[in-house]
């Protein structure tokens, strides 16, 4: 369920998505080296071989940690929203007398709202600030949850789900941006990974609590993180980088000082931010058409391909309706949902640890192999049940398959495609390229979540065999096209991609 998150957890690089052709990039740690003295100054300043951090190590980081806690309430809300439909399917359909098509629309329409939210989030956060964007997002989520709680039919249910989707679409952008912009360099990587972890925790919470309370009560629990967020925003500072970009010099200095502690010397860090903001304004702009030039086409193919394989492996179908899947397999939906939730969290943490140790390619290939195995096992169990064979074993095989699937997805396919995407595009096309790749991801999420129930009605084992086929193709895709980016500077990654492109041109 990792969608909409464009974070390089190694370098702290954040891509800002916008809904026009403006490329707004905030590479918060290691920008590409441009033929520009100001950029060279930044790169030299942030060279990892030299400890030139402007943060006073003895200064207080309490405000940074508190601000991060407030922001990740939005991430928890994200997870709660996408996890809501899994334990509530049968109860909602029975309570409101919904058809399969109506519930499929309810389950999937959140991705449509999130798509629109993600597209507009750049403009909203640039105009209102990071805190303003989070307030808007929380407002939409609160409105949506109340609509779901009060729903008497499909229309109000869908409108509520659409509103919460729009809210989490903004959260998916602004939360990691805000965390990365307020964090000192030595904490940025660790703090930004909390975003994905809190999304998983939110989804797991919805899975588990949803098995014990009614679906209307579960909708009310979605209000809690939003309320905590809105209260907390009154006590945390605005992003210093946004204040600097908006021209609020006094507020910029005050915010940075508050985040770094009263005794910290912020002179150098403030100067660095100002120089980088000026550099961003000097970069050339690109359009969608530019992405199809030969020098960018491989990067675009990699980014789009990874998102297609991430989504068409079935994650949002299996995750959104996991309770009914276990019921279909012949086991208790509640038991399976709780097991599913408990697997996600520790495996996601393990994946974050392994990413910078094993490398991107091996981790994603192992992950895709695992999702293939999990889907193949689940498909086999449904086939055995359909044929009346090994009926005592079929449910256990299904549960094992689904749990292997989610564990494998959480360790690699969930986060690694976003990390690779943030690394493979040149600086001046990252904004527009990221927008296109994110759009592909959300479209895939909608397609899978909407069609899952229909495919399961057609053939449960056929559905899982199709998903397993996409996982197998993902392994081949990564092996053939995706370069290893671990331990490489952004310049080295671009050189590797361009070298392969020139090699192919020579061979052709």
């Amino acid at each position: 369920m990792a969608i909409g998150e464009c974070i390089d957890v190694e370098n702290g690089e954040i891509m800002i998505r916008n809904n026009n052709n403006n490329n707004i990039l905030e590479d918060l740690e290691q920008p590409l080296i441009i033929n520009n003295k100001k950029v060279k100054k930044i790169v030299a300043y942030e060279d990892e071989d030299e400890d030139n951090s402007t943060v006073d190590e003895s200064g207080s980081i309490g405000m940074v940690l508190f601000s991060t806690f407030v922001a990740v309430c939005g991430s928890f809300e994200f997870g709660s929203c996408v996890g809501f439909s899994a334990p509530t399917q049968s109860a909602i359909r029975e309570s409101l007398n919904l058809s399969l098509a109506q519930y499929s629309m309810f389950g999937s329409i959140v991705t449509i709202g999130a798509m629109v939210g993600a597209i507009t989030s750049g403009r909203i956060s640039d105009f209102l600030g990071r805190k303003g964007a989070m307030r808007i997002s929380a407002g939409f989520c609160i409105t949506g949850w109340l609509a779901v709680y009060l729903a008497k039919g499909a229309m109000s249910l869908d409108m509520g789900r659409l509103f919460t989707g729009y809210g989490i679409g903004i959260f998916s952008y602004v939360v990691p941006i805000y965390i990365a912009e307020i964090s000192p360099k030595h904490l940025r990587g660790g703090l930004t990974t909390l975003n994905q972890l809190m999304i998983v925790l939110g989804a797991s919470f919805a899975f588990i609590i949803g098995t014990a309370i009614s679906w209307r009560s579960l909708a009310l629990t979605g209000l809690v993180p939003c309320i905590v967020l809105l209260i907390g925003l009154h006590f945390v500072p605005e992003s210093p980088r946004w204040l600097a970009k908006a021209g609020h010099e006094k507020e910029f200095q005050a915010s940075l000082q508050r985040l770094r502690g009263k005794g910290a010397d912020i002179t150098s860090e403030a100067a660095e931010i100002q120089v980088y903001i000026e550099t961003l304004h000097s970069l050339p702009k690109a359009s969608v058409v530019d992405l199809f030039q030969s020098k960018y086409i491989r990067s675009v193919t990699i980014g789009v391909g990874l998102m297609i394989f991430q989504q068409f492996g079935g994650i949002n179908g299996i995750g959104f309706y996991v309770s009914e899947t276990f019921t279909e397999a012949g086991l208790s939906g509640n038991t399976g949902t709780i097991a599913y939730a408990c697997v996600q969290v520790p495996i996601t943490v393990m994946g974050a640890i392994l990413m910078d140790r094993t490398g991107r390619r091996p981790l994603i290939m192992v992950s895709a192999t695992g999702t293939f195995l999990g889907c193949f096992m689940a498909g086999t169990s449904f086939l055995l049940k359909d044929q009346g064979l090994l009926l005592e074993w079929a449910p256990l095989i299904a549960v094992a398959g689904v749990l292997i699937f989610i564990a494998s997805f959480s360790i690699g396919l969930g986060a690694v495609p976003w990390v690779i995407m943030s690394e493979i595009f040149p600086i001046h096309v990252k904004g527009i390229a990221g927008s296109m790749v994110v759009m592909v991801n959300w479209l895939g999420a909608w397609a899978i979540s909407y069609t899952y129930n229909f495919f399961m009605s057609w053939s449960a084992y056929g559905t899982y065999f199709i998903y397993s086929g996409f996982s197998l193709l993902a392994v081949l895709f990564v092996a053939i096209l995706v370069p290893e980016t671990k331990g490489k500077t952004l310049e080295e990654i671009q050189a590797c991609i361009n070298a392969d492109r020139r090699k192919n041109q020579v061979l052709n």
Side-chain angles (χ1 to χ4, degrees):
M1 272 172 259
I3 46 186
E5 186 179 46
C6 304
I7 306 173
D8 180 346
V9 294
E10 178 182 13
N11 295 328
E13 178 180 85
I14 307 296
M15 182 184 337
I16 296 182
R17 304 184 294 275
N18 209 332
N19 65 332
N20 57 18
N21 288 336
N22 285 335
N23 291 337
I24 305 174
L25 173 73
E26 299 200 3
D27 182 351
L28 298 175
E29 187 153 353
Q30 293 185 355
L32 285 170
I33 297 178
I34 313 282
N35 188 16
N36 184 307
K37 292 182 179 179
K38 292 180 178 179
V39 181
K40 290 179 180 178
K41 178 179 177 181
I42 297 173
V43 175
Y45 175 81
E46 294 200 353
D47 193 332
E48 292 182 357
D49 294 332
E50 300 179 18
D51 186 12
N52 293 327
S53 175
T54 61
V55 180
D56 184 356
E57 295 294 339
S58 63
S60 172
I61 63 169
M63 181 54 68
V64 172
L65 297 178
F66 177 65
S67 300
T68 300
F69 166 76
V70 171
V72 296
C73 287
S75 305
F76 191 90
E77 173 68 13
F78 186 129
S80 298
C81 185
V82 295
F84 178 78
S85 61
T88 59
Q89 179 172 350
S90 58
I92 291 179
R93 288 189 64 188
E94 182 179 349
S95 176
L96 300 182
N97 195 27
L98 299 183
S99 67
L100 181 62
Q102 287 175 318
Y103 190 82
S104 294
M105 176 57 71
F106 166 73
S108 64
I109 201 172
V110 66
T111 60
I112 300 297
M115 189 189 308
V116 178
I119 293 172
T120 59
S121 59
R123 276 195 172 280
I124 292 172
S125 62
D126 281 343
F127 183 71
L128 297 177
R130 312 317 188 203
K131 289 173 60 177
M134 283 189 275
R135 289 190 180 101
I136 292 291
S137 182
F140 271 95
C141 287
I142 289 173
T143 303
W145 283 123
L146 290 175
V148 171
Y149 173 76
L150 298 171
K152 301 298 182 183
M155 180 62 70
S156 55
L157 200 66
D158 289 345
M159 288 304 299
R161 189 74 164 159
L162 186 66
F163 270 54
T164 56
Y166 183 82
I168 66 171
I170 298 176
F171 274 139
S172 71
Y173 161 76
V174 73
V175 170
I177 288 292
Y178 177 76
I179 295 172
E181 289 181 345
I182 66 172
S183 302
K185 178 181 177 179
H186 67 288
L187 295 177
R188 183 174 296 133
L191 292 179
T192 51
T193 58
L194 291 177
N195 179 60
Q196 174 65 15
L197 179 60
M198 290 301 288
I199 292 174
V200 173
L201 283 172
S204 298
F205 174 84
F207 285 170
I208 295 172
I209 298 299
T211 63
I213 62 178
S214 70
W215 64 271
R216 293 188 189 272
S217 298
L218 184 60
L220 289 181
T221 65
L223 300 176
V224 176
C226 293
I227 293 172
V228 174
L229 177 77
L230 289 174
I231 294 173
L233 286 176
H234 288 288
F235 303 99
V236 301
E238 179 58 90
S239 160
R241 286 178 178 264
W242 179 81
L243 291 169
K245 189 164 60 175
H248 303 301
E249 181 63 30
K250 290 183 179 179
E251 293 87 346
F252 158 62
Q253 296 281 347
S255 174
L256 188 60
Q257 190 72 67
R258 191 178 174 195
L259 287 164
R260 298 298 178 258
K262 292 182 179 180
D265 180 7
I266 63 170
T267 306
S268 298
E269 186 176 7
E272 174 204 355
I273 292 174
Q274 293 282 23
V275 169
Y276 193 74
I277 294 299
E278 294 175 12
T279 303
L280 288 174
H281 292 310
S282 69
L283 294 175
K285 297 179 180 179
S287 66
V288 174
V289 176
D290 295 328
L291 298 179
F292 296 94
Q293 297 178 22
S294 60
K295 57 184 175 181
Y296 305 133
I297 195 65
R298 187 180 179 214
S299 295
V300 171
T301 302
I302 292 171
V304 170
L306 287 174
M307 295 307 167
I308 289 174
F309 289 119
Q310 182 197 64
Q311 290 302 322
F312 281 80
I315 180 60
N316 280 298
I318 297 171
F320 278 23
Y321 310 110
V322 66
S323 178
E324 287 299 300
T325 300
F326 282 119
T327 301
E328 178 75 16
L331 280 181
S332 167
N334 289 346
T335 302
T337 300
I338 292 172
Y340 184 99
C342 292
V343 165
Q344 285 190 99
V345 177
I347 299 298
T348 299
V349 174
M350 184 185 301
I353 296 172
L354 291 176
M355 190 180 302
D356 290 329
R357 296 186 178 184
T358 64
R360 289 28 163 171
R361 290 179 80 247
L363 190 60
I364 201 169
M365 290 173 71
V366 168
S367 176
T369 302
T371 57
F372 161 77
L373 177 62
C375 282
F376 189 82
M377 288 176 63
T380 300
S381 74
F382 284 119
L383 179 60
L384 292 173
K385 181 182 176 184
D386 188 63
Q387 299 296 319
L389 301 174
L390 300 177
L391 295 180
E392 67 277 12
W393 289 99
L396 295 178
I397 296 174
V399 171
V402 171
L403 295 183
I404 289 172
F405 171 87
I406 188 56
S408 300
F409 182 88
S410 298
I411 205 170
L413 273 172
V416 176
W418 294 106
V419 175
I420 292 176
M421 186 191 71
S422 71
E423 297 171 325
I424 60 176
F425 293 115
I427 189 171
H428 58 290
V429 301
K430 276 193 172 182
I432 194 67
S435 296
M436 184 177 71
V437 171
V438 169
M439 178 68 70
V440 169
N441 187 278
W442 280 113
L443 285 173
W446 173 80
I448 294 300
S449 59
Y450 182 71
T451 60
Y452 179 80
N453 284 320
F454 297 109
F455 272 93
M456 288 292 286
S457 297
W458 161 68
S459 173
Y461 63 85
T463 300
Y464 277 84
F465 286 153
I466 290 172
Y467 292 160
S468 67
F470 274 101
S471 294
L472 190 59
L473 289 174
V475 176
L476 298 176
F477 177 83
V478 173
I480 296 172
L481 285 179
V482 179
E484 178 56 70
T485 59
K486 171 182 174 288
K488 294 181 181 178
T489 66
L490 302 180
E491 297 85 359
E492 291 171 341
I493 294 170
Q494 287 303 306
C496 177
I497 291 174
N498 290 329
D500 288 342
R501 176 177 60 85
R502 287 191 293 268
K503 180 179 178 181
N504 291 334
Q505 288 176 341
V506 171
L507 292 176
N508 293 334

